[in-house]
Amino acid sequence: MSLLDWSVLIFTILFIVGYGLWKGRGIHHIKGFLLADRKMPWYHVGLSVMATQASAITFLSAPAQGYTDGLRFVQFYFGLPLAMILICITFIPIYQRLQVYTAYEYLEKRFDMKTRVFTAFLFLLQRGLSTGITIYAPALVLSTILHVDITFTTFFMGGLVILYTIYGGAKAVSHTQLLQMSVIFAGLFVAGYMVVHLLPAGIGFSDALHVAGKMGKLNAIDTEFNLSNRYNIWSGIIGGFFLQLSYFGTDQSQVGRYLTGSSVSQSRLGLLMNGLLKIPMQFFILLTGTLVFAFYQFYQPPVFFNQVEVSKVEAGTYSLEFDSINTAWNDANRIKATQVSELVAAIETDNEISIEEKRKSLMASQAQVLEIRKSAVEVIRKNDPGAELNDSNYIFLHFVMHHLPRGLIGLLIAIIFLAAMGSTASGLNSLASSCVVDFYKRFLNRDGTAKDYLLASRLITAGWGVFCIIVALYASRLGNLIEAVNILGSLFYGTILGIFLTAFFLKQVKGQAVFIAALITEALVIAAWWNETTAFLWLNVIGSLTVMVVSFILQQTFFKNHGEPGRN
Amino acid sequence: MKDEKSQKRFRSWNTLYLVEIIFLVSCIIAMYFFMIYFR
C-alpha cells in the first residue's frame, strides 16, 4: 500500500475513535454507560443497529458471495422488515415500559430467575466467543493483505475498540457507529462506481449486467419451495423472519442498541429504518460482487485469490505443476474473454439464436476454467495440507488492491476495520450489560452505589475485551471450532426466541413449563441439525414453535394447578 | 381526547408498518424483473 493509503487508513480510524471518545465523555452512572442515558434519536438507533449486524466479514464475504454464487443470498433478508414490524409492535413497548437494561431482565419479571439466568448464560457463551471471532476473521485477512503480523492487526482493532468502549460505553459506541456507517456507505458506493468505471472501453453497466445475467449470477429470486435449498424466497421470508426476530428481539447486542432510543417512537423508527435500508444495501453489496465477476470476464483474474498461499506453492516443490496450471488458466481465460466480447456483440444485435449459441460456448469455457481452478486448489493443498483453501474472502480485497486508485484503497481497507470495530464494540457493550445487570447486580451486589456499578461495568467491559482478544489470537488453533461457534449461535436462537414468544403471546404459560420446554426443544434442534434434516434457517422456525407448543401442553397438563398466571 | 390521540397515533404507526411491507414487496418484484430482464 502507498503512503497515501496508509495515511487515509490511519486518519479515518483514529478520527472516528477520537470522535467516539469525545462524544462519550461525562458518564457518571450505568444508565449512561450501558444505555447512553436512553437519549438517542432514531437515526442513531437505526445506524447503530445496522453497524452491529454488519461485521467486517459482511463486507468481505458478501461481495465474494455475489462473485461466486450470484445474488440469491439477498433472499436471506426478506424476513427482516417483517421481523422489525413485530418487534416494534410487541418487544419494544414492553422493554421500554419495564425500563429494562437487558432483554433477559424481562424474563425474570415474566417467568422466574432460572429462565433469566439460563437465557443470559446462553447469550454470554455464544456472544463472547463470536465477538472474538468477529475480531479474528478480518484480522487474518488484513494481516495477509497488508503483510503485517496477525497479532498486530488483532491488538490494533481490539485495543482501539476496548479503549472507547470502556471510556464512553454505549454513547461512544453509538456515535462511532454513526460515523462508521456513513464512511462504509460512501466507500461502498465509490467501490461500486469504480467497478463499472474500470470496465473496458465500450462496455457499460448494462453490458456487465447482461454478461453476469447470462452466466447465471443475477439469480436474485428463487420461487421454488425446497426445504434443503438454503436460499429461496420461502426460506428467506419464513426462516429469515424467525432468525431476524430472534437476533433483533432477543440478542442483547441488538436489544441494547434500540434501548438507547429516547422513546418507544425513536426506537421503533430506528428499527423501521433498518428494515427499509437493509435489503437495498445487501443487494448493492452483492451486485458489486457480481460486477467484479463481470469485470474479471474481461480481465485476467488470478487462479487463486489468496496470494500468500500462491507464493508458498511457487516457492515449494510443486512450483512446476502450479506453473503449468497457471498457463492453462491464463489461456482458458483469454479464450473466455473473447467469447464474452462476442456475447456482448450478440446482445447488442439482439439476435436471440446467436446470443444463446454464444452463451452456451461461454458456459462450457466457464466450466473448463472452474476445473482448472480446482486442480490449482488441489496443488495448494498438496503443497501445504494446512493451507487456507477457501479464498472467497480475498476476492473483493484483491480487486481493491490491484485495480483501485491510490487513496481509495486505504479508504476501503478502513471500511473493513471500521465494520469489525462497530460490531465488536456492540458485542463488548452487550456482554458487559448482561454480566453487570443479570449477574453482578442481581446476585453479587444488590445495593451498590452508582459509582460501584459504573466501575464494575468498565472492569467487566475490559475483561470481556481481553477475553475476545485471547479468543481471536488463539482462533487459528481452534480450527473447526470457529465453525462450531457460528453453529452454536444458530442452534440456540430458535429456543431463545421461543421463550420470548411464549412470554409475549402465551400469557397462561409459567416459568417451570417454559424452562422444561426449552430444554426439550434444544435437544430436538440439536438432533435435527445432527441428522441434517433441514437447512439451518428452518431450525429457528422449528425451535421457536416447538418451545411454544410444548410449554403450552406442559402448562395445560403437568403444571395446570401450579402458582399464579404469568405476568408481563 | 386522550383516546382520540392514541387512536391517531395507532393509525399512523400502522401506516408506517404498511409502508414497510409495501416496500418489501416492491423490492422483491423489482428484483424479480431485474433478474428476468438480464437473464
Side-chain angles (χ1 to χ4, degrees):
Chain A
M1 263 195 349
S2 68
L3 185 66
L4 177 66
D5 290 315
W6 278 108
S7 311
V8 170
L9 171 65
I10 291 168
F11 173 77
T12 311
I13 291 172
L14 291 185
F15 174 74
I16 289 175
V17 171
Y19 178 75
L21 287 172
W22 178 60
K23 281 286 188 182
R25 70 199 188 283
I27 286 173
H28 306 293
H29 43 73
I30 56 164
K31 193 174 159 193
F33 190 82
L34 301 180
L35 295 179
D37 286 320
R38 295 187 196 266
K39 278 187 177 164
M40 289 298 167
W42 61 273
Y43 53 91
H44 259 280
V45 173
L47 289 175
S48 197
V49 160
M50 292 182 84
T52 301
Q53 192 180 25
S55 71
I57 286 301
T58 309
F59 296 102
L60 293 173
S61 69
Q65 195 123 20
Y67 184 100
T68 53
D69 201 28
L71 298 179
R72 71 189 190 117
F73 181 60
V74 75
Q75 297 169 110
F76 177 78
Y77 293 94
F78 285 172
L80 189 138
L82 304 174
M84 293 302 103
I85 293 172
L86 189 65
I87 293 170
C88 286
I89 295 171
T90 318
F91 291 58
I92 291 178
I94 292 176
Y95 290 156
Q96 289 277 22
R97 177 159 50 84
L98 296 174
Q99 291 283 295
V100 291
Y101 280 80
T102 71
Y104 320 115
E105 207 180 337
Y106 161 70
L107 290 179
E108 182 167 2
K109 292 178 197 285
R110 170 65 177 83
F111 293 125
D112 52 25
M113 187 257 287
K114 69 174 178 304
T115 310
R116 172 186 184 178
V117 170
F118 172 69
T119 321
F121 175 75
L122 288 184
F123 163 73
L124 289 176
L125 177 74
Q126 188 264 335
R127 185 54 53 198
L129 290 170
S130 62
T131 305
I133 305 298
T134 304
I135 301 176
Y136 164 73
L140 175 68
V141 176
L142 292 168
S143 72
T144 310
I145 293 283
L146 302 175
H147 305 292
V148 289
D149 193 71
I150 185 166
T151 316
F152 173 78
T153 45
T154 305
F155 272 105
F156 182 71
M157 272 194 293
L160 285 176
V161 174
I162 292 174
L163 179 74
Y164 70 78
T165 316
I166 289 178
Y167 180 75
K171 224 169 152 186
V173 172
S174 184
H175 281 284
T176 46
Q177 283 175 331
L178 182 83
L179 277 192
Q180 282 160 354
M181 284 311 287
S182 310
V183 175
I184 285 170
F185 280 139
L188 281 175
F189 183 76
V190 174
Y193 169 78
M194 286 307 294
V195 187
V196 178
H197 178 73
L198 290 169
L199 287 166
I203 303 292
F205 180 54
S206 165
D207 297 323
L209 288 178
H210 273 296
V211 169
K214 295 278 179 282
M215 295 181 80
K217 299 290 177 187
L218 300 184
N219 50 348
I221 310 285
D222 180 356
T223 51
E224 191 195 340
F225 185 84
N226 180 356
L227 278 177
S228 52
N229 180 1
R230 188 173 280 191
Y231 307 118
N232 57 46
I233 192 168
W234 311 112
S235 71
I237 291 179
I238 304 168
F241 168 74
F242 279 86
L243 178 70
Q244 308 291 354
L245 192 63
S246 51
Y247 176 55
F248 285 96
T250 72
D251 190 308
Q252 183 59 28
S253 65
Q254 284 296 359
V255 175
R257 298 311 103 217
Y258 55 80
L259 285 183
T260 61
S262 58
S263 64
V264 171
S265 302
Q266 298 299 309
S267 301
R268 277 176 169 170
L269 284 172
L271 280 191
L272 290 178
M273 171 189 169
N274 178 44
L276 282 179
L277 292 183
K278 190 73 191 179
I279 294 173
M281 180 184 117
Q282 213 58 42
F283 177 79
F284 182 75
I285 298 174
L286 288 165
L287 188 66
T288 305
T290 57
L291 288 172
V292 171
F293 172 81
F295 173 87
Y296 278 125
Q297 303 311 303
F298 297 99
Y299 295 103
Q300 193 75 255
V303 67
F304 197 72
F305 281 95
N306 184 346
Q307 293 300 302
V308 171
E309 297 297 348
V310 171
S311 310
K312 276 196 228 164
V313 187
E314 285 172 345
T317 45
Y318 294 95
S319 62
L320 284 177
E321 196 180 337
F322 194 76
D323 271 353
S324 65
I325 290 174
N326 231 340
T327 312
W329 168 264
N330 290 340
D331 292 343
N333 271 292
R334 227 168 279 134
I335 294 167
K336 198 156 72 100
T338 317
Q339 289 172 327
V340 172
S341 300
E342 286 170 5
L343 175 68
V344 172
I347 291 167
E348 272 163 15
T349 57
D350 212 13
N351 182 343
E352 284 299 326
I353 299 164
S354 169
I355 291 172
E356 191 48 29
E357 201 179 285
K358 305 285 177 202
R359 193 190 71 83
K360 273 186 182 156
S361 54
L362 177 60
M363 291 312 281
S365 298
Q366 174 71 357
Q368 195 192 344
V369 158
L370 289 177
E371 279 305 312
I372 298 171
R373 196 185 120 83
K374 248 188 212 166
S375 48
V377 173
E378 185 52 32
V379 173
I380 291 170
R381 195 192 59 75
K382 272 197 295 187
N383 182 63
D384 175 11
E388 202 187 342
L389 297 178
N390 183 358
D391 65 340
S392 59
N393 284 340
Y394 295 85
I395 294 173
F396 186 58
L397 280 183
H398 184 277
F399 169 79
V400 168
M401 299 294 283
H402 290 85
H403 299 285
L404 292 193
R406 282 180 183 182
L408 210 52
I409 297 175
L411 182 71
L412 283 158
I413 301 288
I415 285 179
I416 310 297
F417 273 107
L418 295 178
M421 288 162 70
S423 42
T424 308
S426 289
L428 288 184
N429 190 251
S430 64
L431 287 165
S433 301
S434 182
C435 246
V436 170
V437 177
D438 296 319
F439 294 94
Y440 177 74
K441 207 173 163 210
R442 174 69 180 79
F443 297 108
L444 299 174
N445 187 2
R446 293 191 79 136
D447 307 307
T449 61
K451 214 174 158 189
D452 288 340
Y453 292 139
L454 181 61
L455 181 67
S457 302
R458 287 197 157 126
L459 288 175
I460 289 171
T461 305
W464 276 111
V466 172
F467 174 82
C468 292
I469 286 184
I470 291 170
V471 171
L473 287 174
Y474 284 90
S476 59
R477 294 182 207 172
L478 298 178
N480 285 339
L481 214 69
I482 296 171
E483 208 185 332
V485 168
N486 291 329
I487 291 168
L488 197 74
S490 58
L491 289 183
F492 291 145
Y493 267 156
T495 307
I496 294 176
L497 177 64
I499 296 173
F500 276 88
L501 291 180
T502 307
F504 292 135
F505 298 112
L506 301 176
K507 307 255 160 126
Q508 63 272 58
V509 176
K510 295 194 292 289
Q512 197 67 10
V514 83
F515 187 74
I516 293 172
L519 294 179
I520 293 170
T521 305
E522 199 48 59
L524 287 174
V525 168
I526 290 170
W529 164 74
W530 188 260
N531 294 317
E532 294 177 4
T533 316
T534 176
F536 84 100
L537 267 176
W538 292 102
L539 290 179
N540 295 288
V541 186
I542 296 168
S544 42
L545 294 181
T546 310
V547 172
M548 292 178 82
V549 171
V550 174
S551 63
F552 183 76
I553 293 170
L554 285 175
Q555 190 65 51
Q556 295 301 321
T557 53
F558 295 105
F559 303 109
K560 196 161 189 180
N561 301 316
H562 286 210
E564 292 290 304
R567 294 162 281 156
N568 89 15
Chain B
M1 184 70 184
K2 203 181 167 192
D3 249 18
E4 206 177 294
K5 215 174 166 186
S6 65
Q7 275 291 324
K8 221 173 170 184
R9 194 178 298 160
F10 180 72
R11 272 201 299 271
S12 57
W13 278 114
N14 277 355
T15 311
L16 271 181
Y17 300 148
L18 192 64
V19 168
E20 187 104 348
I21 292 170
I22 291 170
F23 184 74
L24 168 67
V25 176
S26 314
C27 278
I28 294 174
I29 293 170
M31 280 181 217
Y32 183 76
F33 283 108
F34 174 79
M35 178 179 85
I36 298 292
Y37 181 77
F38 288 105
R39 187 154 64 187

